[in-house]
Amino acid sequence: MFLKLTHRRAYAGTSPLAPPPPAEVPEQYASPSVKRILERLARVGGGAVLDLGVLSGDTLTTFAEAGARVHVHDIVSRLRAAPDGGAPDIGRLLGAVRVAPATIDVMCAWELFDVLPFAVAQEALAVMSRWLVPKGWVLAVFNTTAPAGVHRFRVAADGLVRAEPTGALGQAVAVTTNSQVAQLFAGFTLVHSAMVRGQAREVLAQRQD
């Protein structure tokens, strides 16, 4: 298993006199896309998975036990801590991902595109798609309302996913519309798209060439 862990910034602290924020309950849902991914990994006898979301040991274990070589680079946490008003340097962040072109079978972006301005999300996917093998898959999640924070997605072997809130965004991000999602993946074939958690759309798309 190949692990490439980025520096993880600490979440913003609160005053010891301030009351603790209300606890957010993790949401569990059956993910048709994750189930398809696990079936694909079993069918091809493994393959390579790149996870760009908030680090989850459960997810790494599930993909590794499915026979995959797992690469991890938590870009979502880095973006979450970006200062208000600052455009994310997505080129620099993606440039630090040491993955050879056309070597990744499945890429889990989770909320990466959703926490980027749309034009920057397009730029990011153009770079990321080069890592995919022909017919490789990319998994992404889009909130139906403007995201206030990001989640850690814990994947289980039965296809169940627990989405745990991990912290607020450092800057406001507009909601990604359905038409923008379609435009983002215009160069891909849609494998699956479904509402999950009642407030997010899960998209599994396949590189066409």
Side-chain angles (χ1 to χ4, degrees):
M1 182 165 66
F2 299 84
L3 303 181
K4 188 172 186 62
L5 308 181
T6 63
H7 171 70
R8 301 177 66 196
R9 297 185 182 180
Y11 298 148
T14 57
S15 166
L17 301 180
E24 295 188 69
V25 179
E27 300 178 57
Q28 180 169 291
Y29 61 93
S31 169
S33 295
V34 168
K35 186 176 180 181
R36 286 174 183 247
I37 288 171
L38 294 173
E39 290 172 349
R40 172 173 176 157
L41 295 175
R43 187 170 59 251
V44 303
V49 173
L50 172 61
D51 194 320
L52 299 170
V54 180
L55 179 63
S56 166
D58 292 339
T59 299
L60 301 182
T61 299
T62 296
F63 287 141
E65 290 181 345
R69 302 184 307 278
V70 185
H71 304 259
V72 181
H73 197 104
D74 183 356
I75 291 181
V76 171
S77 291
R78 299 288 296 274
L79 292 172
R80 188 197 68 77
D84 188 23
D89 188 351
I90 197 65
R92 179 181 60 82
L93 292 175
L94 295 178
V97 181
R98 303 304 179 191
V99 174
T103 58
I104 300 299
D105 295 273
V106 178
M107 182 162 51
C108 296
W110 301 115
E111 294 170 312
L112 171 59
F113 303 124
D114 210 28
V115 299
L116 290 171
F118 180 64
V120 180
Q122 289 179 299
E123 176 187 346
L125 184 56
V127 173
M128 295 159 57
S129 63
R130 301 170 193 158
W131 300 330
L132 291 171
V133 300
K135 308 300 182 184
W137 287 354
V138 55
L139 171 65
V141 175
F142 298 90
N143 293 278
T144 57
T145 57
V150 296
H151 297 79
R152 174 182 287 106
F153 291 85
R154 296 189 182 276
V155 173
D158 56 5
L160 287 178
V161 175
R162 285 171 59 85
E164 300 176 347
T166 61
L169 288 169
Q171 57 184 342
V173 179
V175 64
T176 306
T177 66
N178 288 338
S179 62
Q180 286 177 322
V181 173
Q183 185 178 350
L184 180 65
F185 290 105
F188 289 71
T189 299
L190 189 64
V191 176
H192 191 263
S193 177
M195 291 297 297
V196 295
R197 296 165 39 215
Q199 58 190 27
R201 178 168 299 280
E202 189 180 71
V203 174
L204 183 63
Q206 182 180 63
R207 178 174 164 175
Q208 291 182 348
D209 55 349

